[in-house]
Amino acid sequence: MNDEKQLNRRKLLAAIGTAGSGAVLYHVLQGAGGGAGVVQAVYGGGSGPHTNGLIIVDSIQTLRGLDHTVATNVYAAGYYAPGDGGGGNYAFDGADTASPDNGGTVIVAADGGRWKLSHTGLISVKQFGATGNGVTDDGVRIQAATNALSGKRLFFPKGEYIVSSITISDSIEYSGEGPESVIRQKALSNRNMIQVSGSGTQVSIFDMTIDQNSGNQTYGQGKFALNCTAVGSGVSRPAILHVERVHMTNTCEGAIRFLGDRTETNREMLRVLRCRFTNGSESRSSPAYNTFTIYIADAATATIDGCHFEHTPAEAGEGIPAISVAGTNVSSPEYSKLSITDNYISGYGRYTNGSGIGVIDMYIWSRNVVVTGNRLENSHVAPIRGKVNADNMIISGNIIQGVTQHIPASGSGISLVPATVGPVAGRYVITDNMIKGSGFRGIEITGTADNKPELVDISGNMIDTVDDIGIYVGYLKHFSIINNTISGSGASGITYALCEGNGRIAGNLIRSAGSTGIGYIGVQKSLSLSIEGNMLDSPSSQGIAVEHVGELLLSGNMVKNVISVNGTQRAFRIGGTSAVDTASIQNNVVSGTVASGAITYTGAGVSTLHEAGNSWNGAAKYGTAAPAAGSYARGDLVYNTLPLPGGCIGWVCTTAGSPGTWKAFGTIEA
């Protein structure tokens, strides 16, 4: 070899560090006298038998035809041709006579020699022969790479990789270069696109686009883009599916399905972070075709955070839920967790076959749930919907705007309704959410006569413009509804129905309720109820109505401007078909137009009543004698500021007028 053709080994290895520079080097050496296909040795002691020199070949095909006695180190400048992104440094392993040719890291030559890929960085699918040209079916090549790189990272350079289906049965990481690294399902594949299975399998997918090509699959047979049925292998090795910064689009039955086995022994974990979901197929009732975006069944631990879901509804479709959870119930509280946080979701919800599935839908047995910081817009049915056999649930800080009610009672902003199976557990905190433009109710939580949620706190929410009731609770044991702002409800502002235990409704501002500001449905004699410090502005028929409770504290409420509906116009209505057992009604204020009176005790009224300090009880003033001037109403009081033995405590107006008729009361012992 001529001196000018000699290359320093270190410089050579630096030069061939990338496919592009390797291709340049290949062509340089070709011009320097190398032959077609194989270039002579470029460092070391010539090209004799068993040389330690490095030679360069143009492709893996050429490598397979190489005599291993020529050299022990080979650089392939490409997989099919120099510079195509494949190839790399290969070393001959004379001790290996059994390893199969996997098309990438192990190449078996025609003479039986095993050439092993030498690598310290990422291994690319192109080093297994994938083209990424958007035409060639790369599925076999990517499958071979997946099988070969158990426990390692597989890199997808920018390109469009066509596959029918990929099976992952052992741990691996897929990593792309961003949205331009695309895996697209081949037309008419009609199967799960990426199938994850195995025990203790831990799979991560980063920085790419997964396109299921739904428009070119047979309707109703497209399956899921990413389907995971792996199970955990105990605490030390749970099954994990981690998807981050991935765009999933044109999906068929759904983008991600994650199936656990709902046992504490085998553990499954799903993490979906900062992903984007677009163009999902919608459900149809004929032929039956139910679809989801993310579907979690019996998956004990799941986190979906910072994702973007955007869907434009189709006229012929019936919608699609964004996140649907069916069952995370296991005995271990540290294992069963669900966190859905800081996502943007627009245009979702399903109303197939006369029933609704929420945008975020927690179907049964969802335990230790946090749904917070999400923004949900233009929903078809309830944006956040769950069953009341869920437990330890916090729904907070969400913004919900625009809910369409396609089927009756489906358009509430936040809805927890009776479960079809399983007993109620019931500890729920619904706080600091903003709900505007709901087609049914703002917030509703409803158990059953036999299964009542245990503890419910609804506080700090803002509800604006709902077609029915602002906040509705039914069949609960203990509840508090505190410091909420409700404006423009089509029916009542707050309604409680058939509850028991202890209830507190306090500090709420309710404006322009379509009927009663705070009211009831049904009988609940086992309920002790406190209604305190609420402000009700312009309810349509009455301010606060209470009937058939055990104990009632009605204190410090303000009702103003009750609007007449069918001649009924009153601030407070107490009693009904059965008496309130014991009531303390004090320090309430009524102002503005209230034609039918401030308070009405209807039916049986109250068995034991303490009423004092209310605006309708008359004004209380102070003086040294009964008034001699001014206008007063019957019941007004003047307390004596100079009491003397044998004198009186004060004076009461018995006939309204100017100054009216006044009588002394309360003789002081002489």
Side-chain angles (χ1 to χ4, degrees):
M1 184 182 299
N2 295 329
D3 290 342
E4 62 269 24
K5 296 179 183 177
Q6 299 284 341
L7 292 178
N8 175 275
R9 177 185 177 92
R10 182 176 298 173
K11 291 181 179 179
L12 173 66
L13 293 177
I16 63 177
T18 65
S21 59
V24 171
L25 177 61
Y26 169 82
H27 289 297
V28 168
L29 291 172
Q30 285 280 30
V38 181
V39 179
Q40 67 185 89
V42 293
Y43 68 85
S47 58
H50 303 289
T51 180
N52 290 325
L54 172 69
I55 67 172
I56 297 179
V57 297
D58 60 354
S59 66
I60 296 300
Q61 181 181 0
T62 305
L63 176 61
R64 286 197 173 98
L66 190 66
D67 182 350
H68 68 270
T69 63
V70 173
T72 56
N73 295 283
V74 174
Y75 179 76
Y79 199 91
Y80 302 103
D84 63 9
N89 295 297
Y90 285 83
F92 174 71
D93 185 355
D96 184 358
T97 60
S99 294
D101 189 325
N102 63 23
T105 57
V106 179
I107 301 299
V108 179
D111 63 0
R114 265 66 180 175
W115 295 92
K116 305 288 183 69
L117 179 65
S118 303
H119 61 89
T120 56
L122 296 177
I123 298 179
S124 163
V125 290
K126 291 193 173 184
Q127 291 176 287
F128 280 80
T131 64
N133 62 15
V135 177
T136 303
D137 187 342
D138 290 323
V140 172
R141 302 293 184 173
I142 294 174
Q143 186 67 64
T146 300
N147 296 342
L149 296 182
S150 173
K152 298 181 177 64
R153 179 183 296 179
L154 178 60
F155 178 57
F156 289 76
K158 293 179 181 179
E160 296 183 5
Y161 301 90
I162 306 300
V163 303
S164 292
S165 182
I166 300 170
T167 299
I168 301 174
S169 56
D170 207 345
S171 299
I172 195 169
E173 178 181 313
Y174 280 8
S175 179
E177 289 190 272
E180 294 180 359
S181 295
V182 181
I183 305 177
R184 178 171 291 116
Q185 192 164 34
K186 186 177 180 180
L188 301 179
S189 295
N190 300 329
R191 67 189 73 179
N192 292 321
M193 182 176 171
I194 300 176
Q195 173 66 49
V196 179
S197 58
S199 177
T201 306
Q202 299 184 353
V203 174
S204 297
I205 303 176
F206 292 95
D207 299 307
M208 61 175 56
T209 295
I210 296 176
D211 183 346
Q212 204 177 6
N213 195 16
S214 58
N216 293 304
Q217 308 297 337
T218 301
Y219 179 75
Q221 297 181 14
K223 307 301 181 184
F224 283 76
L226 179 54
N227 187 57
C228 181
T229 57
V231 296
S233 182
V235 177
S236 61
R237 191 169 177 82
I240 298 175
L241 176 60
H242 182 113
V243 185
E244 186 167 355
R245 298 186 301 274
V246 173
H247 179 201
M248 304 192 75
T249 188
N250 300 317
T251 54
C252 296
E253 288 186 31
I256 298 173
R257 179 170 63 175
F258 189 81
L259 306 180
D261 63 358
R262 210 173 67 198
T263 67
E264 186 178 353
T265 303
N266 301 324
R267 301 200 170 205
E268 298 84 28
M269 301 172 64
L270 172 67
R271 293 195 293 259
V272 183
L273 309 178
R274 294 178 288 282
C275 292
R276 184 177 177 221
F277 299 88
T278 59
N279 299 332
S281 296
E282 293 198 20
S283 298
R284 294 175 185 267
S285 56
S286 180
Y289 186 30
N290 293 332
T291 63
F292 304 86
T293 304
I294 297 177
Y295 178 75
I296 305 166
D298 302 332
T301 300
T303 297
I304 302 169
D305 178 79
C307 295
H308 185 106
F309 299 76
E310 191 162 1
H311 178 68
T312 301
E315 291 185 6
E318 295 178 334
I320 177 173
I323 302 166
S324 183
V325 182
T328 59
N329 180 30
V330 293
S331 59
S332 174
E334 75 277 4
Y335 172 41
S336 175
K337 300 175 184 177
L338 175 64
S339 177
I340 302 173
T341 56
D342 298 328
N343 302 286
Y344 173 81
I345 307 174
S346 177
Y348 285 80
R350 197 174 88 195
Y351 48 98
T352 300
N353 298 326
S355 63
I357 296 180
V359 177
I360 297 175
D361 194 278
M362 295 159 285
Y363 181 57
I364 53 173
W365 291 318
S366 297
R367 308 296 200 205
N368 303 323
V369 177
V370 175
V371 181
T372 183
N374 302 284
R375 180 172 176 176
L376 302 102
E377 297 181 352
N378 305 316
S379 304
H380 292 314
V381 293
I384 299 175
R385 179 179 180 268
K387 299 292 188 179
V388 291
N389 60 3
D391 196 16
N392 299 339
M393 179 181 292
I394 296 176
I395 301 175
S396 68
N398 302 285
I399 298 175
I400 297 171
Q401 184 167 0
V403 186
T404 302
Q405 183 174 227
H406 284 280
I407 54 179
S410 69
S412 298
I414 297 173
S415 177
L416 301 179
V417 295
T420 53
V421 294
V424 164
R427 284 165 285 270
Y428 312 128
V429 175
I430 316 294
T431 182
D432 297 327
N433 301 283
M434 182 178 292
I435 301 170
K436 181 176 176 58
S438 184
F440 189 46
R441 294 167 177 165
I443 297 171
E444 62 173 339
I445 303 179
T446 309
T448 66
D450 298 325
N451 282 307
K452 296 182 175 69
E454 183 73 24
L455 297 169
V456 175
D457 175 25
I458 303 173
S459 61
N461 302 283
M462 180 175 289
I463 301 171
D464 182 10
T465 313
V466 296
D467 287 359
D468 192 57
I469 298 168
I471 296 175
Y472 176 92
V473 294
Y475 287 115
L476 307 184
K477 287 187 178 179
H478 309 288
F479 66 89
S480 61
I481 304 173
I482 300 175
N483 296 336
N484 301 281
T485 299
I486 303 170
S487 179
S489 58
S492 297
I494 296 173
T495 296
Y496 56 95
L498 301 166
C499 297
E500 64 181 45
N502 302 297
R504 184 166 183 247
I505 303 173
N508 301 284
L509 170 60
I510 302 173
R511 296 182 62 255
S512 304
S515 57
T516 302
I518 298 173
Y520 66 91
I521 295 175
V523 295
Q524 51 270 327
K525 202 58 174 285
S526 58
L527 175 65
S528 296
L529 181 62
S530 171
I531 303 178
E532 309 168 61
N534 302 282
M535 179 175 287
L536 299 97
D537 185 356
S538 305
S540 292
S541 62
Q542 51 198 7
I544 297 174
V546 182
E547 177 180 319
H548 199 77
V549 299
E551 296 80 31
L552 170 66
L553 172 61
L554 188 67
S555 175
N557 301 284
M558 181 180 292
V559 179
K560 57 188 294 187
N561 300 325
V562 180
I563 303 169
S564 178
V565 175
N566 298 324
T568 301
Q569 194 178 26
R570 51 200 168 192
F572 299 90
R573 182 170 67 83
I574 310 298
T577 57
S578 177
V580 174
D581 289 347
T582 302
S584 176
I585 300 174
Q586 55 188 344
N587 301 325
N588 300 286
V589 176
V590 178
S591 67
T593 304
V594 187
S596 299
I599 188 165
T600 302
Y601 294 97
T602 62
V606 179
S607 298
T608 302
L609 172 65
H610 171 71
E611 180 183 300
N614 303 290
S615 63
W616 60 85
N617 293 138
K621 300 180 182 298
Y622 297 86
T624 58
S631 297
Y632 296 92
R634 184 180 180 183
D636 287 351
L637 299 174
V638 173
Y639 287 96
N640 192 350
T641 58
L642 292 174
L644 295 171
C648 65
I649 294 174
W651 301 267
V652 59
C653 180
T654 58
T655 303
S658 301
T661 303
W662 290 85
K663 301 293 182 180
F665 69 89
T667 301
I668 301 172
E669 185 178 347

